[in-house]
Amino acid sequence: MGIEVLRNYIGGQWVASATDTYLEVRNPALDAVIARVPLSTVEEVNRAVAAAREAFESWRRLPIPVRARYLLRLRDQVERRFEDLARAIVQEHGKTLEEARGEMQRTLENIEAAAGMFTALMGYHTPQVADGIDEECILEPVGVFCCIAPFNFPAMIPSWFFPYALVAGNTYIVKPSEICPITQTRLFELIHEVGFPPGVINMVHGGKEVVDALLTHPDVAGVSFVGSTPVAKYVYATAAAHGKRAQCHGGAKNALVVMPDADLERTVPAILSSAFGSAGQRCLAGSLVMAVGEIHEPLRRALVEGASRIRVGYGLDEGVQMGPVVSRKALERIHRYIELGLREEAELILDGRGIRVPGYPNGYFIGPTIFDGVQPKMTIACEEIFGPVLGVIPVRDLEEALEIINGLPYGNAASLFTRDGRAAREFRLRVRAGNVGINIGVAAPIAPYPFAGQKQSFFGDLHGQGMDTLYFFTDRKVVITRWF
């Protein structure tokens, strides 16, 4: 069986790219090439935008229930191909099959939530605001939008955006990650089967040239982005400079605070899942544990003991709990951070380097890694590693923990483990993070809620998912009426 050459989807048709430049897509457990993805041309971006622009007027005039039914048919197709899509995620990304199924479930939830937005799109109306005068607010679609997607959730993250854009009456272009483009291609095969009108939703593969073409195109109204903070800043600034809306989710350094009264039997599994789930490659991963007072020593022992039992391997194999990281480049970056932590004199209490997975000698594997005695100013405490590396910071009390968290440049998520309601209330009130967990390791909002983020974890005003995204994709038009 030959290696698949991925194509773009423009104007309702599969189109081979005219580029001469392709990247290899590798299975990270096997280090084997499984596809080739084109770095598409600016002309192909222009064609996709033109197709979306042409489809906009007719799509926006379709009744909202008709637009929603297209999404419901897509939901049905995704359910039918659920396992195939989950396996595609494992093969190109490396996460376990269970984790991939969780991602697909969140994808379905977003499609369903968007399809149910009829009430939210109703706007509002006030009769008789003055003698004989009525006033109403109408939510109207804006035009062509696009998504620049990351590698770590190749199915779920585009679903934070495009279903909401479509139900609101906009048209759309998805630019998948060039590292993990296969899953989105499979989803577009289902989009094609559903039969969306040509141009309503398009896909263009590519790298920075494609991104810049979308950010500067005069007919693109706005962009949604998820990725690292430096790139989020670049996307936000470029989009704003060209008069576009932008919602740009950046990096994270999420802290998990463990109070002395925490139930360790339940807390430790939650921390391990947060830190090492998806091999730490998610923006809600817990990467710092702040052990308050006397809990430090028993927590340290329990974390090492639990993490040592995590089975690392190929995500399609039975019983595997953590897969490889996504690429050799990612593996080398994580190794550099571990060496840096040692140079900074943090104590390496569990070293995941050098792990061997029988049957997979070439995979990009690293085991769970834990540093203790981490200081707040250390590089490994401040920078996003995006891998299975956890740092433990001993702190005196909740006040010190909050001071450290609020001093970090990121503000994506933070969690507190305690049985004390007063401490929990103080934490949720004062912590500067957009997604807050109380006795929750991964504070991941469900589809109707925004994926919040603060400080350098988010650039923009309206976040992904839920009503935030719906307002991002609409203009408010106020109509004031008097009849004589």
Side-chain angles (χ1 to χ4, degrees), residues 8-15 47-48 51-52 55 172 188 191-193 195-203:
N8 295 323
Y9 187 78
I10 300 173
Q13 300 293 324
W14 290 103
V15 183
R47 285 176 55 198
Y172 214 80
F188 265 80
I191 284 168
H192 185 70
E193 288 181 26
F196 283 83
V200 166
I201 182 162
N202 309 270
M203 176 180 63

mmCIF file with all atom_site columns, all heavy atoms in Angstrom, residues 8-15 47-48 51-52 55 172 188 191-193 195-203:
data_model
loop_
_atom_site.group_PDB
_atom_site.id
_atom_site.type_symbol
_atom_site.label_atom_id
_atom_site.label_alt_id
_atom_site.label_comp_id
_atom_site.label_asym_id
_atom_site.label_entity_id
_atom_site.label_seq_id
_atom_site.pdbx_PDB_ins_code
_atom_site.Cartn_x
_atom_site.Cartn_y
_atom_site.Cartn_z
_atom_site.occupancy
_atom_site.B_iso_or_equiv
_atom_site.pdbx_formal_charge
_atom_site.auth_seq_id
_atom_site.auth_comp_id
_atom_site.auth_asym_id
_atom_site.auth_atom_id
_atom_site.pdbx_PDB_model_num
ATOM 1   N N   . ASN A 1 8   ? -6.109  19.152 -0.914 1.00 0.00 ? 8   ASN A N   1
ATOM 2   C CA  . ASN A 1 8   ? -6.940  20.229 -0.370 1.00 0.00 ? 8   ASN A CA  1
ATOM 3   C C   . ASN A 1 8   ? -8.401  19.976 -0.727 1.00 0.00 ? 8   ASN A C   1
ATOM 4   O O   . ASN A 1 8   ? -8.719  19.179 -1.629 1.00 0.00 ? 8   ASN A O   1
ATOM 5   C CB  . ASN A 1 8   ? -6.495  21.576 -0.936 1.00 0.00 ? 8   ASN A CB  1
ATOM 6   C CG  . ASN A 1 8   ? -5.089  21.948 -0.499 1.00 0.00 ? 8   ASN A CG  1
ATOM 7   O OD1 . ASN A 1 8   ? -4.685  21.672 0.628  1.00 0.00 ? 8   ASN A OD1 1
ATOM 8   N ND2 . ASN A 1 8   ? -4.331  22.572 -1.393 1.00 0.00 ? 8   ASN A ND2 1
ATOM 9   N N   . TYR A 1 9   ? -9.276  20.669 -0.015 1.00 0.00 ? 9   TYR A N   1
ATOM 10  C CA  . TYR A 1 9   ? -10.711 20.582 -0.308 1.00 0.00 ? 9   TYR A CA  1
ATOM 11  C C   . TYR A 1 9   ? -11.216 22.003 -0.529 1.00 0.00 ? 9   TYR A C   1
ATOM 12  O O   . TYR A 1 9   ? -11.299 22.805 0.401  1.00 0.00 ? 9   TYR A O   1
ATOM 13  C CB  . TYR A 1 9   ? -11.449 19.922 0.865  1.00 0.00 ? 9   TYR A CB  1
ATOM 14  C CG  . TYR A 1 9   ? -12.903 19.629 0.590  1.00 0.00 ? 9   TYR A CG  1
ATOM 15  C CD1 . TYR A 1 9   ? -13.284 18.533 -0.183 1.00 0.00 ? 9   TYR A CD1 1
ATOM 16  C CD2 . TYR A 1 9   ? -13.900 20.454 1.100  1.00 0.00 ? 9   TYR A CD2 1
ATOM 17  C CE1 . TYR A 1 9   ? -14.612 18.250 -0.429 1.00 0.00 ? 9   TYR A CE1 1
ATOM 18  C CE2 . TYR A 1 9   ? -15.239 20.189 0.858  1.00 0.00 ? 9   TYR A CE2 1
ATOM 19  C CZ  . TYR A 1 9   ? -15.594 19.089 0.088  1.00 0.00 ? 9   TYR A CZ  1
ATOM 20  O OH  . TYR A 1 9   ? -16.916 18.818 -0.157 1.00 0.00 ? 9   TYR A OH  1
ATOM 21  N N   . ILE A 1 10  ? -11.516 22.330 -1.781 1.00 0.00 ? 10  ILE A N   1
ATOM 22  C CA  . ILE A 1 10  ? -11.859 23.694 -2.160 1.00 0.00 ? 10  ILE A CA  1
ATOM 23  C C   . ILE A 1 10  ? -13.119 23.681 -3.021 1.00 0.00 ? 10  ILE A C   1
ATOM 24  O O   . ILE A 1 10  ? -13.196 22.951 -4.015 1.00 0.00 ? 10  ILE A O   1
ATOM 25  C CB  . ILE A 1 10  ? -10.707 24.371 -2.935 1.00 0.00 ? 10  ILE A CB  1
ATOM 26  C CG1 . ILE A 1 10  ? -9.436  24.435 -2.066 1.00 0.00 ? 10  ILE A CG1 1
ATOM 27  C CG2 . ILE A 1 10  ? -11.099 25.771 -3.401 1.00 0.00 ? 10  ILE A CG2 1
ATOM 28  C CD1 . ILE A 1 10  ? -8.198  24.928 -2.794 1.00 0.00 ? 10  ILE A CD1 1
ATOM 29  N N   . GLY A 1 11  ? -14.101 24.475 -2.626 1.00 0.00 ? 11  GLY A N   1
ATOM 30  C CA  . GLY A 1 11  ? -15.321 24.587 -3.428 1.00 0.00 ? 11  GLY A CA  1
ATOM 31  C C   . GLY A 1 11  ? -16.060 23.281 -3.592 1.00 0.00 ? 11  GLY A C   1
ATOM 32  O O   . GLY A 1 11  ? -16.657 23.025 -4.638 1.00 0.00 ? 11  GLY A O   1
ATOM 33  N N   . GLY A 1 12  ? -16.014 22.423 -2.568 1.00 0.00 ? 12  GLY A N   1
ATOM 34  C CA  . GLY A 1 12  ? -16.730 21.152 -2.620 1.00 0.00 ? 12  GLY A CA  1
ATOM 35  C C   . GLY A 1 12  ? -16.026 20.061 -3.395 1.00 0.00 ? 12  GLY A C   1
ATOM 36  O O   . GLY A 1 12  ? -16.611 19.005 -3.651 1.00 0.00 ? 12  GLY A O   1
ATOM 37  N N   . GLN A 1 13  ? -14.754 20.278 -3.756 1.00 0.00 ? 13  GLN A N   1
ATOM 38  C CA  . GLN A 1 13  ? -14.004 19.304 -4.543 1.00 0.00 ? 13  GLN A CA  1
ATOM 39  C C   . GLN A 1 13  ? -12.649 19.024 -3.909 1.00 0.00 ? 13  GLN A C   1
ATOM 40  O O   . GLN A 1 13  ? -12.022 19.916 -3.328 1.00 0.00 ? 13  GLN A O   1
ATOM 41  C CB  . GLN A 1 13  ? -13.783 19.826 -5.972 1.00 0.00 ? 13  GLN A CB  1
ATOM 42  C CG  . GLN A 1 13  ? -15.052 20.098 -6.749 1.00 0.00 ? 13  GLN A CG  1
ATOM 43  C CD  . GLN A 1 13  ? -15.834 18.827 -7.057 1.00 0.00 ? 13  GLN A CD  1
ATOM 44  O OE1 . GLN A 1 13  ? -15.239 17.777 -7.314 1.00 0.00 ? 13  GLN A OE1 1
ATOM 45  N NE2 . GLN A 1 13  ? -17.161 18.929 -7.016 1.00 0.00 ? 13  GLN A NE2 1
ATOM 46  N N   . TRP A 1 14  ? -12.188 17.775 -4.065 1.00 0.00 ? 14  TRP A N   1
ATOM 47  C CA  . TRP A 1 14  ? -10.829 17.418 -3.666 1.00 0.00 ? 14  TRP A CA  1
ATOM 48  C C   . TRP A 1 14  ? -9.872  17.864 -4.762 1.00 0.00 ? 14  TRP A C   1
ATOM 49  O O   . TRP A 1 14  ? -10.075 17.542 -5.927 1.00 0.00 ? 14  TRP A O   1
ATOM 50  C CB  . TRP A 1 14  ? -10.700 15.919 -3.431 1.00 0.00 ? 14  TRP A CB  1
ATOM 51  C CG  . TRP A 1 14  ? -11.437 15.477 -2.195 1.00 0.00 ? 14  TRP A CG  1
ATOM 52  C CD1 . TRP A 1 14  ? -12.638 14.850 -2.150 1.00 0.00 ? 14  TRP A CD1 1
ATOM 53  C CD2 . TRP A 1 14  ? -11.014 15.664 -0.844 1.00 0.00 ? 14  TRP A CD2 1
ATOM 54  N NE1 . TRP A 1 14  ? -13.003 14.626 -0.844 1.00 0.00 ? 14  TRP A NE1 1
ATOM 55  C CE2 . TRP A 1 14  ? -12.020 15.112 -0.023 1.00 0.00 ? 14  TRP A CE2 1
ATOM 56  C CE3 . TRP A 1 14  ? -9.893  16.232 -0.252 1.00 0.00 ? 14  TRP A CE3 1
ATOM 57  C CZ2 . TRP A 1 14  ? -11.928 15.121 1.364  1.00 0.00 ? 14  TRP A CZ2 1
ATOM 58  C CZ3 . TRP A 1 14  ? -9.794  16.242 1.139  1.00 0.00 ? 14  TRP A CZ3 1
ATOM 59  C CH2 . TRP A 1 14  ? -10.805 15.692 1.924  1.00 0.00 ? 14  TRP A CH2 1
ATOM 60  N N   . VAL A 1 15  ? -8.843  18.610 -4.367 1.00 0.00 ? 15  VAL A N   1
ATOM 61  C CA  . VAL A 1 15  ? -7.942  19.223 -5.340 1.00 0.00 ? 15  VAL A CA  1
ATOM 62  C C   . VAL A 1 15  ? -6.497  18.929 -4.951 1.00 0.00 ? 15  VAL A C   1
ATOM 63  O O   . VAL A 1 15  ? -6.073  19.246 -3.831 1.00 0.00 ? 15  VAL A O   1
ATOM 64  C CB  . VAL A 1 15  ? -8.153  20.752 -5.409 1.00 0.00 ? 15  VAL A CB  1
ATOM 65  C CG1 . VAL A 1 15  ? -7.263  21.358 -6.480 1.00 0.00 ? 15  VAL A CG1 1
ATOM 66  C CG2 . VAL A 1 15  ? -9.621  21.092 -5.658 1.00 0.00 ? 15  VAL A CG2 1
ATOM 67  N N   . ARG A 1 47  ? -7.966  30.738 -4.007 1.00 0.00 ? 47  ARG A N   1
ATOM 68  C CA  . ARG A 1 47  ? -9.103  29.982 -4.568 1.00 0.00 ? 47  ARG A CA  1
ATOM 69  C C   . ARG A 1 47  ? -10.072 29.565 -3.471 1.00 0.00 ? 47  ARG A C   1
ATOM 70  O O   . ARG A 1 47  ? -11.297 29.608 -3.644 1.00 0.00 ? 47  ARG A O   1
ATOM 71  C CB  . ARG A 1 47  ? -8.585  28.760 -5.321 1.00 0.00 ? 47  ARG A CB  1
ATOM 72  C CG  . ARG A 1 47  ? -7.956  29.069 -6.675 1.00 0.00 ? 47  ARG A CG  1
ATOM 73  C CD  . ARG A 1 47  ? -7.388  27.815 -7.308 1.00 0.00 ? 47  ARG A CD  1
ATOM 74  N NE  . ARG A 1 47  ? -8.391  26.761 -7.404 1.00 0.00 ? 47  ARG A NE  1
ATOM 75  C CZ  . ARG A 1 47  ? -8.094  25.472 -7.594 1.00 0.00 ? 47  ARG A CZ  1
ATOM 76  N NH1 . ARG A 1 47  ? -6.833  25.096 -7.679 1.00 0.00 ? 47  ARG A NH1 1
ATOM 77  N NH2 . ARG A 1 47  ? -9.049  24.574 -7.698 1.00 0.00 ? 47  ARG A NH2 1
ATOM 78  N N   . ALA A 1 48  ? -9.534  29.142 -2.331 1.00 0.00 ? 48  ALA A N   1
ATOM 79  C CA  . ALA A 1 48  ? -10.407 28.731 -1.231 1.00 0.00 ? 48  ALA A CA  1
ATOM 80  C C   . ALA A 1 48  ? -11.199 29.915 -0.689 1.00 0.00 ? 48  ALA A C   1
ATOM 81  O O   . ALA A 1 48  ? -12.403 29.802 -0.409 1.00 0.00 ? 48  ALA A O   1
ATOM 82  C CB  . ALA A 1 48  ? -9.566  28.097 -0.118 1.00 0.00 ? 48  ALA A CB  1
ATOM 83  N N   . ALA A 1 51  ? -13.926 30.769 -3.139 1.00 0.00 ? 51  ALA A N   1
ATOM 84  C CA  . ALA A 1 51  ? -15.036 29.810 -3.062 1.00 0.00 ? 51  ALA A CA  1
ATOM 85  C C   . ALA A 1 51  ? -15.903 30.083 -1.844 1.00 0.00 ? 51  ALA A C   1
ATOM 86  O O   . ALA A 1 51  ? -17.146 30.042 -1.917 1.00 0.00 ? 51  ALA A O   1
ATOM 87  C CB  . ALA A 1 51  ? -14.483 28.385 -3.014 1.00 0.00 ? 51  ALA A CB  1
ATOM 88  N N   . ALA A 1 52  ? -15.271 30.371 -0.716 1.00 0.00 ? 52  ALA A N   1
ATOM 89  C CA  . ALA A 1 52  ? -16.021 30.673 0.510  1.00 0.00 ? 52  ALA A CA  1
ATOM 90  C C   . ALA A 1 52  ? -16.801 31.968 0.369  1.00 0.00 ? 52  ALA A C   1
ATOM 91  O O   . ALA A 1 52  ? -17.953 32.078 0.803  1.00 0.00 ? 52  ALA A O   1
ATOM 92  C CB  . ALA A 1 52  ? -15.063 30.741 1.697  1.00 0.00 ? 52  ALA A CB  1
ATOM 93  N N   . ALA A 1 55  ? -19.859 31.431 -1.775 1.00 0.00 ? 55  ALA A N   1
ATOM 94  C CA  . ALA A 1 55  ? -20.909 30.638 -1.121 1.00 0.00 ? 55  ALA A CA  1
ATOM 95  C C   . ALA A 1 55  ? -21.618 31.393 -0.003 1.00 0.00 ? 55  ALA A C   1
ATOM 96  O O   . ALA A 1 55  ? -22.710 31.001 0.411  1.00 0.00 ? 55  ALA A O   1
ATOM 97  C CB  . ALA A 1 55  ? -20.291 29.355 -0.552 1.00 0.00 ? 55  ALA A CB  1
ATOM 98  N N   . TYR A 1 172 ? -16.243 29.010 5.719  1.00 0.00 ? 172 TYR A N   1
ATOM 99  C CA  . TYR A 1 172 ? -15.074 28.687 6.535  1.00 0.00 ? 172 TYR A CA  1
ATOM 100 C C   . TYR A 1 172 ? -13.960 28.004 5.761  1.00 0.00 ? 172 TYR A C   1
ATOM 101 O O   . TYR A 1 172 ? -14.204 27.304 4.772  1.00 0.00 ? 172 TYR A O   1
ATOM 102 C CB  . TYR A 1 172 ? -15.501 27.776 7.692  1.00 0.00 ? 172 TYR A CB  1
ATOM 103 C CG  . TYR A 1 172 ? -14.698 28.024 8.940  1.00 0.00 ? 172 TYR A CG  1
ATOM 104 C CD1 . TYR A 1 172 ? -14.991 29.091 9.769  1.00 0.00 ? 172 TYR A CD1 1
ATOM 105 C CD2 . TYR A 1 172 ? -13.630 27.197 9.276  1.00 0.00 ? 172 TYR A CD2 1
ATOM 106 C CE1 . TYR A 1 172 ? -14.241 29.345 10.905 1.00 0.00 ? 172 TYR A CE1 1
ATOM 107 C CE2 . TYR A 1 172 ? -12.876 27.435 10.405 1.00 0.00 ? 172 TYR A CE2 1
ATOM 108 C CZ  . TYR A 1 172 ? -13.186 28.511 11.222 1.00 0.00 ? 172 TYR A CZ  1
ATOM 109 O OH  . TYR A 1 172 ? -12.440 28.764 12.340 1.00 0.00 ? 172 TYR A OH  1
ATOM 110 N N   . PHE A 1 188 ? -13.000 15.818 6.681  1.00 0.00 ? 188 PHE A N   1
ATOM 111 C CA  . PHE A 1 188 ? -13.489 16.469 5.471  1.00 0.00 ? 188 PHE A CA  1
ATOM 112 C C   . PHE A 1 188 ? -14.056 15.456 4.471  1.00 0.00 ? 188 PHE A C   1
ATOM 113 O O   . PHE A 1 188 ? -14.926 15.808 3.660  1.00 0.00 ? 188 PHE A O   1
ATOM 114 C CB  . PHE A 1 188 ? -12.397 17.336 4.838  1.00 0.00 ? 188 PHE A CB  1
ATOM 115 C CG  . PHE A 1 188 ? -12.496 18.770 5.271  1.00 0.00 ? 188 PHE A CG  1
ATOM 116 C CD1 . PHE A 1 188 ? -11.992 19.175 6.501  1.00 0.00 ? 188 PHE A CD1 1
ATOM 117 C CD2 . PHE A 1 188 ? -13.133 19.718 4.482  1.00 0.00 ? 188 PHE A CD2 1
ATOM 118 C CE1 . PHE A 1 188 ? -12.099 20.485 6.923  1.00 0.00 ? 188 PHE A CE1 1
ATOM 119 C CE2 . PHE A 1 188 ? -13.257 21.041 4.892  1.00 0.00 ? 188 PHE A CE2 1
ATOM 120 C CZ  . PHE A 1 188 ? -12.733 21.431 6.122  1.00 0.00 ? 188 PHE A CZ  1
ATOM 121 N N   . ILE A 1 191 ? -17.462 15.469 5.671  1.00 0.00 ? 191 ILE A N   1
ATOM 122 C CA  . ILE A 1 191 ? -18.099 16.726 5.256  1.00 0.00 ? 191 ILE A CA  1
ATOM 123 C C   . ILE A 1 191 ? -18.533 16.632 3.801  1.00 0.00 ? 191 ILE A C   1
ATOM 124 O O   . ILE A 1 191 ? -19.632 17.072 3.423  1.00 0.00 ? 191 ILE A O   1
ATOM 125 C CB  . ILE A 1 191 ? -17.123 17.901 5.486  1.00 0.00 ? 191 ILE A CB  1
ATOM 126 C CG1 . ILE A 1 191 ? -17.063 18.231 6.983  1.00 0.00 ? 191 ILE A CG1 1
ATOM 127 C CG2 . ILE A 1 191 ? -17.528 19.138 4.689  1.00 0.00 ? 191 ILE A CG2 1
ATOM 128 C CD1 . ILE A 1 191 ? -15.942 19.165 7.380  1.00 0.00 ? 191 ILE A CD1 1
ATOM 129 N N   . HIS A 1 192 ? -17.683 16.038 2.987  1.00 0.00 ? 192 HIS A N   1
ATOM 130 C CA  . HIS A 1 192 ? -18.024 15.866 1.562  1.00 0.00 ? 192 HIS A CA  1
ATOM 131 C C   . HIS A 1 192 ? -19.234 14.935 1.407  1.00 0.00 ? 192 HIS A C   1
ATOM 132 O O   . HIS A 1 192 ? -20.124 15.202 0.584  1.00 0.00 ? 192 HIS A O   1
ATOM 133 C CB  . HIS A 1 192 ? -16.818 15.296 0.812  1.00 0.00 ? 192 HIS A CB  1
ATOM 134 C CG  . HIS A 1 192 ? -17.017 15.184 -0.661 1.00 0.00 ? 192 HIS A CG  1
ATOM 135 N ND1 . HIS A 1 192 ? -17.079 16.276 -1.498 1.00 0.00 ? 192 HIS A ND1 1
ATOM 136 C CD2 . HIS A 1 192 ? -17.195 14.089 -1.469 1.00 0.00 ? 192 HIS A CD2 1
ATOM 137 C CE1 . HIS A 1 192 ? -17.269 15.879 -2.744 1.00 0.00 ? 192 HIS A CE1 1
ATOM 138 N NE2 . HIS A 1 192 ? -17.339 14.556 -2.754 1.00 0.00 ? 192 HIS A NE2 1
ATOM 139 N N   . GLU A 1 193 ? -19.280 13.864 2.198  1.00 0.00 ? 193 GLU A N   1
ATOM 140 C CA  . GLU A 1 193 ? -20.414 12.933 2.141  1.00 0.00 ? 193 GLU A CA  1
ATOM 141 C C   . GLU A 1 193 ? -21.711 13.607 2.578  1.00 0.00 ? 193 GLU A C   1
ATOM 142 O O   . GLU A 1 193 ? -22.784 13.321 2.025  1.00 0.00 ? 193 GLU A O   1
ATOM 143 C CB  . GLU A 1 193 ? -20.137 11.709 3.014  1.00 0.00 ? 193 GLU A CB  1
ATOM 144 C CG  . GLU A 1 193 ? -19.079 10.761 2.455  1.00 0.00 ? 193 GLU A CG  1
ATOM 145 C CD  . GLU A 1 193 ? -18.862 9.560  3.354  1.00 0.00 ? 193 GLU A CD  1
ATOM 146 O OE1 . GLU A 1 193 ? -19.803 9.191  4.099  1.00 0.00 ? 193 GLU A OE1 1
ATOM 147 O OE2 . GLU A 1 193 ? -17.757 8.979  3.318  1.00 0.00 ? 193 GLU A OE2 1
ATOM 148 N N   . GLY A 1 195 ? -22.509 16.638 2.068  1.00 0.00 ? 195 GLY A N   1
ATOM 149 C CA  . GLY A 1 195 ? -22.972 17.424 0.930  1.00 0.00 ? 195 GLY A CA  1
ATOM 150 C C   . GLY A 1 195 ? -23.220 18.886 1.240  1.00 0.00 ? 195 GLY A C   1
ATOM 151 O O   . GLY A 1 195 ? -24.179 19.483 0.725  1.00 0.00 ? 195 GLY A O   1
ATOM 152 N N   . PHE A 1 196 ? -22.387 19.480 2.082  1.00 0.00 ? 196 PHE A N   1
ATOM 153 C CA  . PHE A 1 196 ? -22.478 20.926 2.274  1.00 0.00 ? 196 PHE A CA  1
ATOM 154 C C   . PHE A 1 196 ? -22.390 21.617 0.914  1.00 0.00 ? 196 PHE A C   1
ATOM 155 O O   . PHE A 1 196 ? -21.654 21.160 0.024  1.00 0.00 ? 196 PHE A O   1
ATOM 156 C CB  . PHE A 1 196 ? -21.323 21.428 3.155  1.00 0.00 ? 196 PHE A CB  1
ATOM 157 C CG  . PHE A 1 196 ? -21.495 21.162 4.622  1.00 0.00 ? 196 PHE A CG  1
ATOM 158 C CD1 . PHE A 1 196 ? -21.156 19.930 5.175  1.00 0.00 ? 196 PHE A CD1 1
ATOM 159 C CD2 . PHE A 1 196 ? -21.976 22.156 5.469  1.00 0.00 ? 196 PHE A CD2 1
ATOM 160 C CE1 . PHE A 1 196 ? -21.304 19.684 6.531  1.00 0.00 ? 196 PHE A CE1 1
ATOM 161 C CE2 . PHE A 1 196 ? -22.119 21.925 6.829  1.00 0.00 ? 196 PHE A CE2 1
ATOM 162 C CZ  . PHE A 1 196 ? -21.794 20.689 7.361  1.00 0.00 ? 196 PHE A CZ  1
ATOM 163 N N   . PRO A 1 197 ? -23.113 22.708 0.715  1.00 0.00 ? 197 PRO A N   1
ATOM 164 C CA  . PRO A 1 197 ? -23.008 23.427 -0.559 1.00 0.00 ? 197 PRO A CA  1
ATOM 165 C C   . PRO A 1 197 ? -21.554 23.793 -0.854 1.00 0.00 ? 197 PRO A C   1
ATOM 166 O O   . PRO A 1 197 ? -20.792 24.121 0.066  1.00 0.00 ? 197 PRO A O   1
ATOM 167 C CB  . PRO A 1 197 ? -23.869 24.678 -0.332 1.00 0.00 ? 197 PRO A CB  1
ATOM 168 C CG  . PRO A 1 197 ? -24.857 24.264 0.718  1.00 0.00 ? 197 PRO A CG  1
ATOM 169 C CD  . PRO A 1 197 ? -24.124 23.318 1.614  1.00 0.00 ? 197 PRO A CD  1
ATOM 170 N N   . PRO A 1 198 ? -21.138 23.728 -2.115 1.00 0.00 ? 198 PRO A N   1
ATOM 171 C CA  . PRO A 1 198 ? -19.742 24.009 -2.470 1.00 0.00 ? 198 PRO A CA  1
ATOM 172 C C   . PRO A 1 198 ? -19.274 25.357 -1.937 1.00 0.00 ? 198 PRO A C   1
ATOM 173 O O   . PRO A 1 198 ? -19.971 26.365 -2.061 1.00 0.00 ? 198 PRO A O   1
ATOM 174 C CB  . PRO A 1 198 ? -19.765 23.997 -3.999 1.00 0.00 ? 198 PRO A CB  1
ATOM 175 C CG  . PRO A 1 198 ? -20.920 23.112 -4.349 1.00 0.00 ? 198 PRO A CG  1
ATOM 176 C CD  . PRO A 1 198 ? -21.947 23.355 -3.290 1.00 0.00 ? 198 PRO A CD  1
ATOM 177 N N   . GLY A 1 199 ? -18.099 25.355 -1.324 1.00 0.00 ? 199 GLY A N   1
ATOM 178 C CA  . GLY A 1 199 ? -17.496 26.584 -0.832 1.00 0.00 ? 199 GLY A CA  1
ATOM 179 C C   . GLY A 1 199 ? -17.847 26.952 0.592  1.00 0.00 ? 199 GLY A C   1
ATOM 180 O O   . GLY A 1 199 ? -17.202 27.825 1.176  1.00 0.00 ? 199 GLY A O   1
ATOM 181 N N   . VAL A 1 200 ? -18.851 26.299 1.169  1.00 0.00 ? 200 VAL A N   1
ATOM 182 C CA  . VAL A 1 200 ? -19.256 26.641 2.535  1.00 0.00 ? 200 VAL A CA  1
ATOM 183 C C   . VAL A 1 200 ? -18.141 26.308 3.516  1.00 0.00 ? 200 VAL A C   1
ATOM 184 O O   . VAL A 1 200 ? -17.865 27.078 4.433  1.00 0.00 ? 200 VAL A O   1
ATOM 185 C CB  . VAL A 1 200 ? -20.567 25.931 2.910  1.00 0.00 ? 200 VAL A CB  1
ATOM 186 C CG1 . VAL A 1 200 ? -20.828 25.998 4.419  1.00 0.00 ? 200 VAL A CG1 1
ATOM 187 C CG2 . VAL A 1 200 ? -21.729 26.561 2.158  1.00 0.00 ? 200 VAL A CG2 1
ATOM 188 N N   . ILE A 1 201 ? -17.491 25.162 3.333  1.00 0.00 ? 201 ILE A N   1
ATOM 189 C CA  . ILE A 1 201 ? -16.377 24.803 4.198  1.00 0.00 ? 201 ILE A CA  1
ATOM 190 C C   . ILE A 1 201 ? -15.264 24.206 3.350  1.00 0.00 ? 201 ILE A C   1
ATOM 191 O O   . ILE A 1 201 ? -15.504 23.328 2.505  1.00 0.00 ? 201 ILE A O   1
ATOM 192 C CB  . ILE A 1 201 ? -16.812 23.866 5.347  1.00 0.00 ? 201 ILE A CB  1
ATOM 193 C CG1 . ILE A 1 201 ? -15.609 23.560 6.241  1.00 0.00 ? 201 ILE A CG1 1
ATOM 194 C CG2 . ILE A 1 201 ? -17.522 22.631 4.863  1.00 0.00 ? 201 ILE A CG2 1
ATOM 195 C CD1 . ILE A 1 201 ? -15.968 23.029 7.604  1.00 0.00 ? 201 ILE A CD1 1
ATOM 196 N N   . ASN A 1 202 ? -14.052 24.708 3.565  1.00 0.00 ? 202 ASN A N   1
ATOM 197 C CA  . ASN A 1 202 ? -12.902 24.365 2.736  1.00 0.00 ? 202 ASN A CA  1
ATOM 198 C C   . ASN A 1 202 ? -11.711 24.013 3.628  1.00 0.00 ? 202 ASN A C   1
ATOM 199 O O   . ASN A 1 202 ? -11.676 24.374 4.804  1.00 0.00 ? 202 ASN A O   1
ATOM 200 C CB  . ASN A 1 202 ? -12.513 25.556 1.846  1.00 0.00 ? 202 ASN A CB  1
ATOM 201 C CG  . ASN A 1 202 ? -13.697 26.111 1.074  1.00 0.00 ? 202 ASN A CG  1
ATOM 202 O OD1 . ASN A 1 202 ? -13.989 25.686 -0.028 1.00 0.00 ? 202 ASN A OD1 1
ATOM 203 N ND2 . ASN A 1 202 ? -14.401 27.071 1.669  1.00 0.00 ? 202 ASN A ND2 1
ATOM 204 N N   . MET A 1 203 ? -10.741 23.338 3.028  1.00 0.00 ? 203 MET A N   1
ATOM 205 C CA  . MET A 1 203 ? -9.525  22.974 3.767  1.00 0.00 ? 203 MET A CA  1
ATOM 206 C C   . MET A 1 203 ? -8.312  23.184 2.874  1.00 0.00 ? 203 MET A C   1
ATOM 207 O O   . MET A 1 203 ? -8.298  22.718 1.723  1.00 0.00 ? 203 MET A O   1
ATOM 208 C CB  . MET A 1 203 ? -9.588  21.511 4.213  1.00 0.00 ? 203 MET A CB  1
ATOM 209 C CG  . MET A 1 203 ? -8.324  21.015 4.909  1.00 0.00 ? 203 MET A CG  1
ATOM 210 S SD  . MET A 1 203 ? -8.441  19.279 5.410  1.00 0.00 ? 203 MET A SD  1
ATOM 211 C CE  . MET A 1 203 ? -8.601  18.477 3.806  1.00 0.00 ? 203 MET A CE  1
#
